[in-house]
Amino acid sequence: MQLLELSAVDLVTAIRRGEVSAVQAAEAFLDRITKLDGSINAFLHVDRTAALARAADVDKRRREGKPLGPLAGLPVAVKDALCTSDQPTTCASKMLAGYRPPYDAHVVARLRQADAVLVGKTNMDEFAMGGSNENSAFGAVHNPWDLARAPGGSSGGSAACVAADMAPVAIGSDTGGSIRQPAGLCGITGLKPTYGRISRRGLVAFASSLDQIGPMARSAADCALVMETIAGHDPGDATSLADDVPRYTDLLEKPLTGLRIGRVPEHFGPGLDPEVAHGVEEAFAAFKAAGATIHDVELPHAKYGIATYYLVAPCEASSNLARYDGAHYGHRAESGSGHRSAAKAGGEFESPLVEMYCRSRAEGFGPEVKRRIMLGTYALSAGYYEAFYAKALRVRRLIRQDYLDAFAKVDLIGGPVSPTPAFPLGEKTSDPLAMYLVDMYTVGTNLAGIGGISFPCGFTKGGLPIGFQLQGPALSEPLLLRAADRYQQLTDWHSKRPPLPA
Ligand code: GLN
């Protein structure tokens, strides 16, 4: 059990020194997955044989004195939205069931170059659309703190596997909160980097102007370690930033004296659970005790965040998901394969080809994905484009400007991640709007293209983690990680473990 509880930083050091072998580490986490994942369902695919072979190779090269990468032997779980050439990539959709990409996502390639050991692909909401992981075509993920509750989404499998010690770190993606929310609801740390900080090449596209990959781990220090490997320019993603990648782990130590943290009074209004509000206020007090100053700031357009996000994201999704037509790749319907004439189909379809497209999409996509495609297609259609999509883009600009104005006065903005602690599975599945409202504190970061980090700041009386969010200006990852790390040096919320079998 002790090995499972080592931080990623300590585990990598122990492996480099030969105190623990990479095979021992891989076996420990793989055994834990075998033992627990039947009740958590965090993984869609686990490749034990490949992981052990990879770990054995790290050990062999270490014995031979050959150079090793910075993550040598570190087990890593990867959200199933990232392409892996040697493991299936389904995005938790029937549309991509059994799909094997011909290449690795840029982030996956970097992890391999750093000698990390990929243990498996994690469950998620289908095509990353959702806030509870209940939209997976392969079953919901169960929150390790209470198996009857949702882990949050869409990177719920990544959050749950770290919380349950089935992997020391995981990779997630965040379009409107999908790293920060599940991290908050599962009591771990998750970083949504600035748009473009990490290459999106090989991340199955949801909303391309919002999507960003990031690390999920038990601490900010572990996130910093992973960031050094996965961040940086990639000529294969035109939106990836050319800025140098700092040594995040070397920048953690500096004290927080003089740090100005903003507090948005509207974030403490109706809809916020009182226990969450209390935990968040305690975190502000801890930051203050550590030398930071707290200032009220305004984000006047934040109240339009949900409406704006739920236009921009579905519009982009409807375009991105047009590629799943049954012809090129992905699920293809058995019927409508060209043998049935349009007349026989009762005039329902223009042609057998159109029938094949329609049936493939009807069968392959789940209800939430269909809802987004329909919303997006509607909002982009002639006559509605100006009223919905173009208007949403203008409001997006105002939301971004709010952040720029706020960051002229403060260094970071703090507040809740989610309005409530983890909610019971099934509670919101019949009410899409209630599910969308869960994103009220997180979508602004993505709309503005800036950075955000979420980490545990307490527990409810019922024993559920409460998350704290810090948002920072573009490329403020060193400061976000440092502030979270300093907080974690002063508190021990992040080292609490869920009540699971040892
Ligand atoms: N919950 C949001 C949605 O459903 C965010 C998802 C995400 O960040 N991938 O779109």
Side-chain angles (χ1 to χ4, degrees):
M1 191 65 197
Q2 243 181 358
L3 200 160
L4 297 176
E5 291 194 357
L6 284 181
S7 72
V9 172
D10 288 346
L11 183 56
V12 161
T13 310
I15 293 172
R16 190 172 306 125
R17 289 191 187 138
E19 294 158 7
V20 173
S21 74
V23 168
Q24 276 175 321
E27 271 176 343
F29 286 100
L30 289 162
D31 290 349
R32 178 89 173 156
I33 295 171
T34 308
K35 184 168 173 184
L36 285 185
D37 207 38
S39 52
I40 294 181
N41 201 27
F43 284 90
L44 294 178
H45 184 79
V46 176
D47 198 338
R48 189 180 176 99
T49 312
L52 289 175
R54 179 88 186 145
D57 179 58
V58 167
D59 288 336
K60 179 167 170 282
R61 282 188 288 137
R62 195 192 151 272
R63 280 195 305 272
E64 291 168 354
K66 297 211 172 112
L68 289 174
L71 301 182
L74 182 71
V76 179
V78 176
K79 186 177 184 176
D80 207 30
L82 277 84
C83 289
T84 40
S85 55
D86 60 348
Q87 296 190 25
T89 299
T90 68
C91 248
S93 180
K94 272 196 278 182
M95 186 57 95
L96 284 175
Y99 174 60
R100 296 235 169 204
Y103 71 108
D104 278 333
H106 178 79
V107 162
V108 171
R110 285 206 177 197
L111 289 167
R112 291 196 211 270
Q113 277 155 19
D115 288 322
V117 173
L118 264 56
V119 288
K121 305 294 293 289
T122 57
N123 204 347
M124 54 186 282
D125 282 300
E126 183 178 4
F127 284 103
M129 297 173 192
S132 70
N133 228 295
E134 292 164 290
N135 295 337
S136 167
F138 306 113
V141 177
H142 298 258
N143 190 314
W145 291 91
D146 177 348
L147 297 178
R149 290 176 189 266
S154 66
S155 313
S158 290
C161 78
V162 172
D165 289 328
M166 295 191 283
V169 297
I171 302 298
S173 69
D174 190 313
T175 304
S178 282
I179 288 176
R180 289 160 289 157
Q181 284 172 25
L185 300 182
C186 289
I188 67 159
T189 306
L191 175 72
K192 179 270 187 232
T194 303
Y195 182 75
R197 179 68 292 190
I198 296 176
S199 166
R200 291 179 293 112
R201 183 159 57 94
L203 170 70
V204 177
F206 164 11
S208 307
S209 79
L210 302 161
D211 297 341
Q212 182 60 194
I213 295 169
M216 304 172 78
R218 285 188 302 251
S219 69
D222 286 354
C223 287
L225 175 72
V226 176
M227 276 298 282
E228 288 176 1
T229 286
I230 64 175
H233 182 62
D234 167 21
D237 172 2
T239 65
S240 80
L241 298 170
D243 303 66
D244 285 343
V245 177
R247 292 272 307 175
Y248 298 102
T249 47
D250 290 347
L251 300 170
L252 297 176
E253 297 297 320
K254 207 172 132 222
L256 298 184
T257 322
L259 180 76
R260 298 165 303 167
I261 304 182
R263 183 184 172 285
V264 184
E266 291 79 28
H267 285 176
F268 295 84
L272 182 63
D273 177 276
E275 285 191 279
V276 174
H278 178 74
V280 168
E281 295 294 6
E282 297 267 287
F284 275 118
F287 275 108
K288 214 167 157 181
T293 51
I294 315 297
H295 309 264
D296 277 355
V297 290
E298 281 179 21
L299 295 175
H301 299 93
K303 53 180 176 286
Y304 306 119
I306 290 291
T308 307
Y309 172 83
Y310 279 97
L311 279 166
V312 174
C315 284
E316 294 187 20
S318 71
S319 163
N320 272 329
L321 273 64
R323 74 190 69 180
Y324 305 104
D325 56 7
H328 295 92
Y329 56 84
H331 175 76
R332 177 186 294 201
E334 290 283 335
S335 61
S337 50
H339 303 303
R340 218 142 66 99
S341 74
K344 273 193 191 147
E348 203 187 333
F349 299 100
E350 283 165 34
S351 68
L353 181 65
V354 170
E355 182 183 358
M356 189 277 285
Y357 290 158
C358 293
R359 289 200 195 283
S360 299
R361 288 168 70 81
E363 291 170 10
F365 291 135
E368 183 58 31
V369 174
K370 286 178 186 159
R371 184 177 297 121
R372 306 280 179 114
I373 291 173
M374 286 189 280
L375 275 171
T377 305
Y378 181 81
L380 285 174
S381 57
Y384 296 105
Y385 182 98
E386 270 300 318
F388 294 115
Y389 181 63
K391 189 163 186 179
L393 290 186
R394 286 196 285 271
V395 180
R396 181 178 186 177
R397 269 281 293 265
L398 297 173
I399 290 173
R400 183 174 157 73
Q401 190 59 47
D402 283 355
Y403 279 103
L404 295 177
D405 294 345
F407 290 131
K409 298 177 195 132
V410 294
D411 303 303
L412 298 174
I413 295 174
V417 186
S418 307
T420 68
F423 44 89
L425 288 164
E427 188 187 87
K428 299 186 202 289
T429 38
S430 57
D431 186 351
L433 205 57
M435 193 73 89
Y436 297 170
L437 285 172
V438 167
D439 306 331
M440 60 201 269
Y441 304 128
T442 50
V443 292
T445 319
N446 305 73
L447 289 168
I450 58 175
I453 193 166
S454 146
F455 49 90
C457 67
F459 286 81
T460 64
K461 287 187 197 77
L464 297 172
I466 300 169
F468 188 78
Q469 176 177 223
L470 285 171
Q471 295 168 279
L475 293 177
S476 63
E477 286 78 22
L479 180 57
L480 288 166
L481 289 164
R482 173 159 69 90
D485 177 68
R486 291 291 91 198
Y487 177 84
Q488 292 177 336
Q489 298 301 317
L490 300 169
T491 56
D492 67 349
W493 303 118
H494 65 291
S495 37
K496 304 268 186 244
R497 291 299 207 274
L500 293 168

